[in-house]
Amino acid sequence: MTNELRVLADSEWTAWWTALDWAFGGLPESREEQKLWRDLTDFGRSYGVWDAGQPVGTLGTLTMAVSVPGGAVLPVAGVTMVSVAATHRRQGILRTMMRRALETYRESGEPLAALTASEPAIYGRFGYGAASQRLSADIDIHRVSLGLPPGADNIALRVVDPADEAERCEALYARIVPTRPGMLARGPGWERLPLLDPPQDRAGASARRCVLAERDGELLGYARYALKPEWEPAGPRGTVLVRDLDAAEPAAYGALLRYLHGIDLMSTLTLDNRPVDDPFLHMVSDVRRARLRVADRLYLRPVDLGAALAGRTYATDVDVVLEVSDGFCPWNEGRWRLSGGPGGAVCERTADAADLALPVAALGAAYLGGTSLVSLAAAGRVEELRPGALGSAATAFGSAVAPWLPHGF
């Protein structure tokens, strides 16, 4: 076989996408979704491997930005649409594409790369660590009541067509992004993503709806949701499926949650992707009847280690030398002194003795503050070389709020 790696050309999109679709067993995306991903794809930094004129490997790149601890929003290369044909496994195709992509991201000045993993076991060997989690819940509406924050009764709610108020909702989303690590800043074109609602993907649910939370005409929150009506001999047992729920203050969040919890003919309120520290956990009367589930979400890897660590702030003052192993991106290998605190940081190469030793994937996992260095050390992923260094570094790397990726890519 003569595998050839090359940059994705616009004329090759249909064949490239078909290969991706085949590898995933038939993607459910509608034509509208396919057009959106084509429009968002950075063709000059997306790759295909071809054999005898046919694509047998795909790797797409999205140009994005992600919020980090301290409120900064840093460039991040979004790795997506990754596949290798079943006929061409174990030939190094994914490794070849990933290496070229990471080299390109470094040349482009992106300090970070990110992905969501259909198969998490694949990406650790390329330096990606699980940096955030998603919390899902199925709340029993009839057996769980809500305790709401002060001011919720002063919030006005209004049901609208999602498209009619999309611009205001996007502006509110942009305000919220710096307040929680892991959120993606949505550039031009991305505003179409929350409005995608192809009928074939609804699985018996209604078209997407939207409710706004306002005070004196100011938008303070919104929820996009669908209803899935079901009936049994005893009566209705429908489900409220929450797609998006964003609010700028507790009162607006509480008012929206009460609205979703109180929709007639519904028995279950399903929150599919929330931060692991979401406020609903402290509003429900019986958290056990919320049937909670936690799963991995965003995978992150430093591309330019020094720039990545200097790009965020730290919860407390930190001065630590890190011995980093990164066989896949050797330019990150070696010792780095990280010095900083709540006001900013610098990270530079050093010949000083190391305080901690860890692989780059562990740094990716800890970077957003959602995974403790102490926890990683307990798993053998971080080695403390100077007594006391681990605890102080773990505290500094922490985040007051859990990182969260609000939607996939």
Side-chain angles (χ1 to χ4, degrees), residues 366-382:
Y367 181 80
L368 295 177
T371 301
S372 170
L373 289 171
V374 171
S375 176
L376 290 165
R381 303 296 309 285
V382 177

PDB file of all heavy atoms in Angstrom, residues 366-382:
ATOM      1  N   ALA A 366      -4.654  18.361  34.184  1.00  0.00           N
ATOM      2  CA  ALA A 366      -4.700  19.295  35.307  1.00  0.00           C
ATOM      3  C   ALA A 366      -4.850  20.743  34.875  1.00  0.00           C
ATOM      4  O   ALA A 366      -5.149  21.609  35.708  1.00  0.00           O
ATOM      5  CB  ALA A 366      -3.421  19.148  36.137  1.00  0.00           C
ATOM      6  N   TYR A 367      -4.682  21.030  33.597  1.00  0.00           N
ATOM      7  CA  TYR A 367      -4.510  22.403  33.133  1.00  0.00           C
ATOM      8  C   TYR A 367      -5.691  23.317  33.469  1.00  0.00           C
ATOM      9  O   TYR A 367      -5.512  24.469  33.855  1.00  0.00           O
ATOM     10  CB  TYR A 367      -4.254  22.416  31.625  1.00  0.00           C
ATOM     11  CG  TYR A 367      -4.031  23.798  31.074  1.00  0.00           C
ATOM     12  CD1 TYR A 367      -2.786  24.422  31.213  1.00  0.00           C
ATOM     13  CD2 TYR A 367      -5.048  24.499  30.455  1.00  0.00           C
ATOM     14  CE1 TYR A 367      -2.570  25.701  30.727  1.00  0.00           C
ATOM     15  CE2 TYR A 367      -4.839  25.787  29.977  1.00  0.00           C
ATOM     16  CZ  TYR A 367      -3.607  26.379  30.117  1.00  0.00           C
ATOM     17  OH  TYR A 367      -3.394  27.651  29.659  1.00  0.00           O
ATOM     18  N   LEU A 368      -6.911  22.839  33.319  1.00  0.00           N
ATOM     19  CA  LEU A 368      -8.090  23.677  33.546  1.00  0.00           C
ATOM     20  C   LEU A 368      -8.532  23.710  35.000  1.00  0.00           C
ATOM     21  O   LEU A 368      -9.510  24.375  35.340  1.00  0.00           O
ATOM     22  CB  LEU A 368      -9.252  23.206  32.665  1.00  0.00           C
ATOM     23  CG  LEU A 368      -9.057  23.347  31.151  1.00  0.00           C
ATOM     24  CD1 LEU A 368     -10.258  22.784  30.410  1.00  0.00           C
ATOM     25  CD2 LEU A 368      -8.822  24.802  30.760  1.00  0.00           C
ATOM     26  N   GLY A 369      -7.835  22.981  35.868  1.00  0.00           N
ATOM     27  CA  GLY A 369      -8.161  23.026  37.282  1.00  0.00           C
ATOM     28  C   GLY A 369      -9.191  22.026  37.742  1.00  0.00           C
ATOM     29  O   GLY A 369      -9.588  22.043  38.915  1.00  0.00           O
ATOM     30  N   GLY A 370      -9.618  21.140  36.857  1.00  0.00           N
ATOM     31  CA  GLY A 370     -10.649  20.175  37.219  1.00  0.00           C
ATOM     32  C   GLY A 370     -10.118  18.843  37.688  1.00  0.00           C
ATOM     33  O   GLY A 370     -10.853  18.048  38.277  1.00  0.00           O
ATOM     34  N   THR A 371      -8.845  18.564  37.434  1.00  0.00           N
ATOM     35  CA  THR A 371      -8.208  17.321  37.857  1.00  0.00           C
ATOM     36  C   THR A 371      -7.029  17.672  38.746  1.00  0.00           C
ATOM     37  O   THR A 371      -6.134  18.421  38.337  1.00  0.00           O
ATOM     38  CB  THR A 371      -7.719  16.508  36.647  1.00  0.00           C
ATOM     39  OG1 THR A 371      -8.827  16.219  35.793  1.00  0.00           O
ATOM     40  CG2 THR A 371      -7.086  15.199  37.094  1.00  0.00           C
ATOM     41  N   SER A 372      -7.013  17.157  39.966  1.00  0.00           N
ATOM     42  CA  SER A 372      -5.980  17.516  40.929  1.00  0.00           C
ATOM     43  C   SER A 372      -4.675  16.785  40.635  1.00  0.00           C
ATOM     44  O   SER A 372      -4.659  15.587  40.334  1.00  0.00           O
ATOM     45  CB  SER A 372      -6.447  17.167  42.341  1.00  0.00           C
ATOM     46  OG  SER A 372      -5.383  17.280  43.266  1.00  0.00           O
ATOM     47  N   LEU A 373      -3.570  17.507  40.764  1.00  0.00           N
ATOM     48  CA  LEU A 373      -2.261  16.873  40.649  1.00  0.00           C
ATOM     49  C   LEU A 373      -2.064  15.820  41.739  1.00  0.00           C
ATOM     50  O   LEU A 373      -1.365  14.821  41.531  1.00  0.00           O
ATOM     51  CB  LEU A 373      -1.160  17.929  40.739  1.00  0.00           C
ATOM     52  CG  LEU A 373      -1.005  18.868  39.536  1.00  0.00           C
ATOM     53  CD1 LEU A 373      -0.034  19.994  39.854  1.00  0.00           C
ATOM     54  CD2 LEU A 373      -0.542  18.106  38.302  1.00  0.00           C
ATOM     55  N   VAL A 374      -2.685  16.025  42.896  1.00  0.00           N
ATOM     56  CA  VAL A 374      -2.600  15.030  43.962  1.00  0.00           C
ATOM     57  C   VAL A 374      -3.291  13.736  43.534  1.00  0.00           C
ATOM     58  O   VAL A 374      -2.789  12.634  43.764  1.00  0.00           O
ATOM     59  CB  VAL A 374      -3.221  15.577  45.260  1.00  0.00           C
ATOM     60  CG1 VAL A 374      -3.338  14.476  46.316  1.00  0.00           C
ATOM     61  CG2 VAL A 374      -2.386  16.731  45.801  1.00  0.00           C
ATOM     62  N   SER A 375      -4.439  13.865  42.900  1.00  0.00           N
ATOM     63  CA  SER A 375      -5.151  12.685  42.403  1.00  0.00           C
ATOM     64  C   SER A 375      -4.324  11.966  41.350  1.00  0.00           C
ATOM     65  O   SER A 375      -4.235  10.729  41.349  1.00  0.00           O
ATOM     66  CB  SER A 375      -6.502  13.096  41.823  1.00  0.00           C
ATOM     67  OG  SER A 375      -7.169  11.998  41.246  1.00  0.00           O
ATOM     68  N   LEU A 376      -3.706  12.716  40.464  1.00  0.00           N
ATOM     69  CA  LEU A 376      -2.857  12.110  39.439  1.00  0.00           C
ATOM     70  C   LEU A 376      -1.647  11.424  40.060  1.00  0.00           C
ATOM     71  O   LEU A 376      -1.221  10.360  39.609  1.00  0.00           O
ATOM     72  CB  LEU A 376      -2.414  13.181  38.444  1.00  0.00           C
ATOM     73  CG  LEU A 376      -3.512  13.738  37.528  1.00  0.00           C
ATOM     74  CD1 LEU A 376      -3.054  15.025  36.867  1.00  0.00           C
ATOM     75  CD2 LEU A 376      -3.916  12.722  36.478  1.00  0.00           C
ATOM     76  N   ALA A 377      -1.106  12.023  41.120  1.00  0.00           N
ATOM     77  CA  ALA A 377       0.031  11.405  41.804  1.00  0.00           C
ATOM     78  C   ALA A 377      -0.375  10.091  42.456  1.00  0.00           C
ATOM     79  O   ALA A 377       0.395   9.118  42.457  1.00  0.00           O
ATOM     80  CB  ALA A 377       0.593  12.367  42.845  1.00  0.00           C
ATOM     81  N   ALA A 378      -1.593  10.051  43.004  1.00  0.00           N
ATOM     82  CA  ALA A 378      -2.079   8.822  43.632  1.00  0.00           C
ATOM     83  C   ALA A 378      -2.217   7.699  42.615  1.00  0.00           C
ATOM     84  O   ALA A 378      -2.158   6.513  42.969  1.00  0.00           O
ATOM     85  CB  ALA A 378      -3.415   9.079  44.325  1.00  0.00           C
ATOM     86  N   ALA A 379      -2.401   8.074  41.347  1.00  0.00           N
ATOM     87  CA  ALA A 379      -2.493   7.085  40.275  1.00  0.00           C
ATOM     88  C   ALA A 379      -1.140   6.791  39.643  1.00  0.00           C
ATOM     89  O   ALA A 379      -1.063   6.047  38.655  1.00  0.00           O
ATOM     90  CB  ALA A 379      -3.473   7.568  39.209  1.00  0.00           C
ATOM     91  N   GLY A 380      -0.087   7.392  40.179  1.00  0.00           N
ATOM     92  CA  GLY A 380       1.243   7.166  39.637  1.00  0.00           C
ATOM     93  C   GLY A 380       1.579   7.991  38.423  1.00  0.00           C
ATOM     94  O   GLY A 380       2.587   7.740  37.756  1.00  0.00           O
ATOM     95  N   ARG A 381       0.762   9.023  38.142  1.00  0.00           N
ATOM     96  CA  ARG A 381       1.002   9.840  36.953  1.00  0.00           C
ATOM     97  C   ARG A 381       1.906  11.035  37.231  1.00  0.00           C
ATOM     98  O   ARG A 381       2.421  11.647  36.300  1.00  0.00           O
ATOM     99  CB  ARG A 381      -0.340  10.345  36.391  1.00  0.00           C
ATOM    100  CG  ARG A 381      -1.332   9.249  36.040  1.00  0.00           C
ATOM    101  CD  ARG A 381      -0.820   8.362  34.911  1.00  0.00           C
ATOM    102  NE  ARG A 381      -0.368   9.116  33.756  1.00  0.00           N
ATOM    103  CZ  ARG A 381      -1.188   9.711  32.887  1.00  0.00           C
ATOM    104  NH1 ARG A 381      -2.499   9.639  33.029  1.00  0.00           N
ATOM    105  NH2 ARG A 381      -0.692  10.372  31.860  1.00  0.00           N
ATOM    106  N   VAL A 382       2.048  11.419  38.495  1.00  0.00           N
ATOM    107  CA  VAL A 382       2.905  12.536  38.887  1.00  0.00           C
ATOM    108  C   VAL A 382       3.818  12.048  40.001  1.00  0.00           C
ATOM    109  O   VAL A 382       3.375  11.360  40.925  1.00  0.00           O
ATOM    110  CB  VAL A 382       2.070  13.743  39.378  1.00  0.00           C
ATOM    111  CG1 VAL A 382       2.991  14.869  39.846  1.00  0.00           C
ATOM    112  CG2 VAL A 382       1.139  14.242  38.277  1.00  0.00           C
TER     113      VAL A 382
END
